[in-house]
Amino acid sequence: MTIDVEQVRRDHPIAIAVADAGVDLHRSGRGWMGRCPFHEDRTASLSVDGVPDRFHCFGCGAHGDVIDFVKLRYGLNFLEAIATLEHRHPTAHQVSKAHGPHPGPVPAVPGTGPSATRALEINGMAWEHFTGPVAHAFAESWLRHHRGIDIGGLERSVQDRVVGHTGHGWTALAQHLLEKGVTSVELVAMDLARPTRRGNLIDTFRDRLILPIHNTAGNLTGFVGRDTGTSPGSPKYRNPTRTPTFAKATAL
């Protein structure tokens, strides 16, 4: 199979891929700057599109094109990275010079992801897992001891749990949802799991507090993960990427 790398770069602007990976970008000269996801970056040392179609971190030295970024960010090989780009961005997107790299909704790709109704159901099952008794107790304790926040009053007032935790394993959520009938394709499409180089699924959110995102209709559309300090170099926040229920451009 012959792959036109230049066409892949043209079809998938690097700023879109970086923004979708949870990096908040701001305009800087001809390109963008943000906090590098590959090391503990406190100074926004990641340059994106300063050199057209390239990224470079002035802190850790990570660099390359959009394919290299996806390979590094998700631990994929060359072909897996291209497949991930094609899955998440089936059509080319343009980065608005006025408003920044905020991707719009991706058209549904037949046979590759769940319907909107099914996607909401999967999010609900994931939230039940994140807020199980042990996971919720850990989240509640961590907030109280590390941030001085007692969420008990808030949860009593809204009569619902407002924070959860992923647990400490690599595959807990994926295994839980697979046992409930969620397919591996659905897990990847919902950004709840990702494939490794060996083809196994691992959880997207690991060792993180989980905060739910709801739309104006009250539907659970995605999750934000907050690092609890157990993974040195990990970004503090892991924001949702575009899924059948979540698009940053319409959620903000």
Side-chain angles (χ1 to χ4, degrees):
M1 178 177 63
T2 301
I3 296 175
D4 187 339
V5 174
E6 289 302 323
Q7 186 64 49
V8 172
R9 291 171 179 159
R10 287 192 295 270
D11 285 347
H12 307 290
I14 190 168
I16 295 292
V18 174
D20 272 358
V23 178
D24 291 325
L25 297 175
H26 61 270
R27 175 62 81 181
S28 178
R30 294 177 298 176
W32 312 88
M33 294 296 293
R35 291 187 177 182
C36 178
F38 306 122
H39 75 288
E40 189 172 359
D41 188 6
R42 299 180 180 178
T43 59
S45 55
L46 180 70
S47 171
V48 179
D49 251 350
V51 174
D53 302 321
R54 296 292 189 275
F55 75 95
H56 179 83
C57 177
F58 295 101
C60 69
H63 65 280
D65 62 10
V66 65
I67 301 171
D68 295 318
F69 180 86
V70 172
K71 285 169 58 180
L72 287 171
R73 186 70 179 91
Y74 303 109
L76 306 176
N77 62 32
F78 177 77
L79 292 178
E80 290 170 338
I82 290 177
T84 297
L85 285 167
E86 296 295 338
H87 174 71
R88 292 189 174 180
H89 309 283
T91 59
H93 298 278
Q94 298 300 319
V95 177
S96 165
K97 294 183 181 298
H99 301 291
H102 298 297
V106 175
V109 182
T112 63
S115 66
T117 300
R118 173 62 171 166
L120 291 173
E121 180 186 5
I122 293 170
N123 277 344
M125 288 189 283
W127 182 238
E128 288 179 0
H129 175 78
F130 292 143
T131 56
V134 175
H136 181 260
F138 180 91
E140 193 174 30
S141 175
W142 192 92
L143 286 171
R144 185 183 304 112
H145 290 96
H146 292 270
R147 290 294 178 268
I149 299 173
D150 186 351
I151 62 171
L154 173 60
E155 292 192 332
R156 285 190 293 272
S157 68
V158 300
Q159 297 185 336
D160 200 0
R161 291 182 170 176
V162 299
V163 66
H165 188 257
T166 60
H168 305 290
W170 284 71
T171 62
L173 178 64
Q175 289 298 323
H176 174 75
L177 293 182
L178 286 170
E179 290 172 1
K180 286 186 170 290
V182 180
T183 68
S184 58
V185 171
E186 289 175 325
L187 284 171
V188 174
M190 294 302 297
D191 195 34
L192 295 172
R194 61 182 178 85
T196 66
R197 293 179 180 178
R198 295 183 178 181
N200 301 318
L201 284 179
I202 60 173
D203 295 343
T204 299
F205 297 94
R206 301 185 301 276
D207 280 326
R208 290 181 180 273
L209 297 182
I210 295 293
L211 301 172
I213 299 173
H214 294 88
N215 61 16
T216 55
N219 296 317
L220 176 57
T221 58
F223 305 99
V224 173
R226 202 282 189 195
D227 180 53
T228 55
T230 57
S231 302
S234 177
K236 180 178 288 188
Y237 291 98
R238 205 289 184 180
N239 297 315
T241 60
R242 188 164 48 248
T243 72
T245 58
F246 182 88
K248 184 177 180 181
T250 57
L252 299 181

